[in-house]
Amino acid sequence: MQVHESTTVATFADLRVDGARLWDSLMQLARIGATDKGGVCRLALTELDREARDLFIAWAKEIGCTVRIDAIGNIFARRAGLRDDLAPVMTGSHIDTQPTGGKFDGNYGVLAGLEVLRTLADANVRTLAPLEVAVWTNEEGSRFVPVMMGSGVFAGAFTLEHALEQRDREGVSVRDALSRIGYAGENEKPHAVGAYFEAHIEQGPVLEAHDKTIGVVQGALGQRWYDVTVHGMEAHAGPTPMELRRDALLVAADLIHAVNRIALDHAPHGRGTVGWLDVHPNSRNVIPGRVTLTVDLRAADDATLTAMDSALRAACSLAGEKAGITVDVEQVVYFPPQPFAAELVGAVKQGADTLGFASMDVISGAGHDAVYLARVAPAAMIFVPCKDGISHNEIEDARADHLEAGCNVLLQAMLNAAQKAGSADA
Ligand SMILES: [Zn+2]
């Protein structure tokens, strides 16, 4: 192929992805681990994950990509640029799923990236900077904790060694699972990334409710997770008069209301959830003596998240005092709010405008690989609607035209970044 330096942004602006091919590839990938209810169960580093990885790599090689695997099993499929000294413009996501997962969560981001590369291969054009599609290991965290494991190692959120030592419920380590499926790659320093984009289904109802095709993601909510333990005293449900009880569950009920109120007090982005309760001794005729509950607080900026943290601690002391019992609050997880790079977010918005898609600014309530990538490179995300906002469910669904639209926005945003990459020193 003759490569011309004169390949211009104007030519690129006319390029469009093949929506039918994208859809077909999504459906083909979804057959690996397909469930009876139309979903996918493809847990990280299983034989099914290996099969899916092999398929992606075969597709990438078909269009001339070089493929590298790192030591935590992340896959990087690279399409050479005119200037291979430049840091690649990267996109990607994950192809592991929840046990009752869908066809689109993660898979869409990977295959949208592949479709971008296929489109460029068809048009026989080269970008200035190289392009890469990444498949991040164990994003879901369903079989191995922590979640977003591959991107977390890549971004230095935790060490490779820490990740490799984690074990599933059967006692199999990440290290052994990786070598079993043949995806323990080179232990090399993470390479520089010029820009990172990730396309993803929204996993929420906002775009659909506003009848928008593209969500221009401004950033991701910060998160604080807690284990709260209420220490009451168990006693017989019959002989113990109401005024003498130290009912831990009653205090926990107050706290559930408090968590909800704290989130409402910090609108529009405040979130507060109690998702899990452990009641001791959990017996019909015993006043609960001890309750542990999880609290998940989220906010768009750290000042708000800190205010919510103070409000939670105050609510716990108050509820405990009122009942004359102790409430312990332990924070177990902290993810800072992660704004995305203004320039890249602007490129996503511009892409949607130029292509004529209705868009709106949104914020990601969930964690994504892009949130870790944003620590080491300029990053942005593109959301497309999913049916009724449902994901992590076998009925997860998305419209082919929305997926195609998001992929076209991804194409334009990546081209924009790849051409700009060299402009400073070209
Ligand atoms: Zn995902």
Side-chain angles (χ1 to χ4, degrees):
M1 180 184 99
Q2 187 65 42
V3 168
H4 295 289
E5 292 275 354
S6 61
T7 302
T8 61
V9 178
T11 328
F12 286 155
D14 299 329
L15 290 176
R16 294 294 179 272
V17 303
D18 182 338
R21 180 171 57 189
L22 170 61
W23 182 264
D24 287 347
S25 295
L26 276 162
M27 293 308 115
Q28 209 175 320
L29 187 58
R31 286 207 280 274
I32 303 173
T35 63
D36 292 343
K37 291 181 184 162
V40 179
C41 174
R42 195 192 306 129
L43 300 187
L45 309 184
T46 55
E47 267 307 299
L48 291 170
D49 188 13
R50 181 190 61 72
E51 249 184 81
R53 287 163 171 263
D54 290 354
L55 178 60
F56 169 78
I57 288 175
W59 279 337
K61 286 187 172 166
E62 256 169 38
I63 52 169
C65 290
T66 52
V67 174
R68 282 177 23 244
I69 320 283
D70 73 9
I72 193 64
N74 296 320
I75 304 169
F76 302 99
R78 181 182 176 110
R79 185 169 196 269
L82 293 169
R83 291 265 314 269
D84 278 325
D85 56 313
L86 295 172
V89 171
M90 187 188 276
T91 189
S93 199
H94 58 96
I95 56 174
D96 66 316
T97 75
Q98 291 285 334
T100 54
K103 303 183 193 78
F104 304 98
D105 179 0
N107 299 293
Y108 170 55
V110 169
L111 295 184
L114 180 73
E115 179 53 37
V116 165
L117 302 195
R118 283 172 164 171
T119 301
L120 296 175
D122 285 350
N124 216 17
V125 290
R126 291 268 159 210
T127 48
L128 204 51
L131 303 184
E132 282 189 9
V133 179
V135 179
W136 303 110
T137 294
N138 183 35
E139 192 272 350
E140 296 288 3
S142 186
R143 181 179 175 200
F144 298 103
V145 177
V147 299
M148 302 186 288
M149 182 178 273
S151 53
V153 168
F154 187 83
F158 37 84
T159 63
L160 169 67
E161 214 33 52
H162 173 76
L164 291 175
E165 281 164 12
Q166 301 310 306
R167 291 177 186 274
D168 67 7
R169 286 184 195 93
E170 271 74 56
V172 179
S173 68
V174 169
R175 187 192 311 274
D176 289 345
L178 273 170
S179 47
R180 235 177 252 178
I181 65 164
Y183 274 88
E186 296 297 311
N187 189 0
E188 52 189 36
K189 211 168 122 260
H191 58 291
V193 177
Y196 180 79
F197 294 95
E198 183 168 346
H200 207 283
I201 55 167
E202 182 196 5
Q203 301 181 282
V206 176
L207 292 176
E208 204 174 59
H210 289 83
D211 199 20
K212 305 290 186 194
T213 304
I214 301 293
V216 182
V217 189
Q218 309 294 304
L221 298 183
Q223 310 182 25
R224 285 182 188 270
W225 295 359
Y226 308 83
D227 287 342
V228 175
T229 307
V230 183
H231 302 275
M233 188 155 86
E234 53 260 42
H236 198 300
T240 317
M242 298 309 284
E243 66 275 15
L244 294 180
R245 294 173 180 221
R246 291 161 69 201
D247 184 339
L249 186 55
L250 197 59
V251 172
D254 280 348
L255 292 178
I256 294 170
H257 279 282
V259 165
N260 191 64
R261 182 180 43 72
I262 289 165
L264 291 171
D265 286 348
H266 293 87
H269 296 306
R271 310 264 195 274
T273 306
V274 175
W276 183 90
L277 280 183
D278 179 47
V279 180
H280 178 80
N282 214 24
S283 174
R284 184 188 298 274
N285 52 0
V286 180
I287 298 159
R290 189 186 67 242
V291 174
T292 303
L293 55 150
T294 61
V295 177
D296 175 325
L297 297 180
R298 303 187 187 209
D301 62 89
D302 232 357
T304 307
L305 197 53
T306 304
M308 292 170 75
D309 173 82
S310 307
L312 173 68
R313 290 174 191 279
C316 289
S317 322
L318 185 70
E321 260 168 50
K322 224 174 68 182
I325 61 184
T326 315
V327 180
D328 293 330
V329 182
E330 189 196 352
Q331 183 180 298
V332 292
V333 166
Y334 170 59
F335 281 112
Q338 181 63 64
F340 287 142
E343 197 187 341
L344 268 56
V345 174
V348 170
K349 168 83 178 131
Q350 194 199 325
D353 289 351
T354 310
L355 293 162
F357 300 128
S359 71
M360 68 183 285
D361 293 352
V362 292
I363 189 137
S364 174
H368 290 290
D369 294 309
V371 178
Y372 275 148
L373 265 290
R375 296 185 182 183
V376 292
M381 290 189 79
I382 302 162
F383 277 177
V384 296
C386 56
K387 190 169 186 295
D388 303 323
I390 291 171
S391 77
H392 287 189
N393 189 316
E394 290 159 276
I395 63 166
E396 175 186 285
D397 201 6
R399 273 171 46 181
D401 58 329
H402 287 159
L403 299 170
E404 180 179 350
C407 191
N408 271 316
V409 172
L410 177 67
L411 169 67
Q412 291 307 319
M414 288 184 76
L415 290 174
N416 183 294
Q419 297 311 98
K420 268 190 188 154
S423 62
D425 59 355

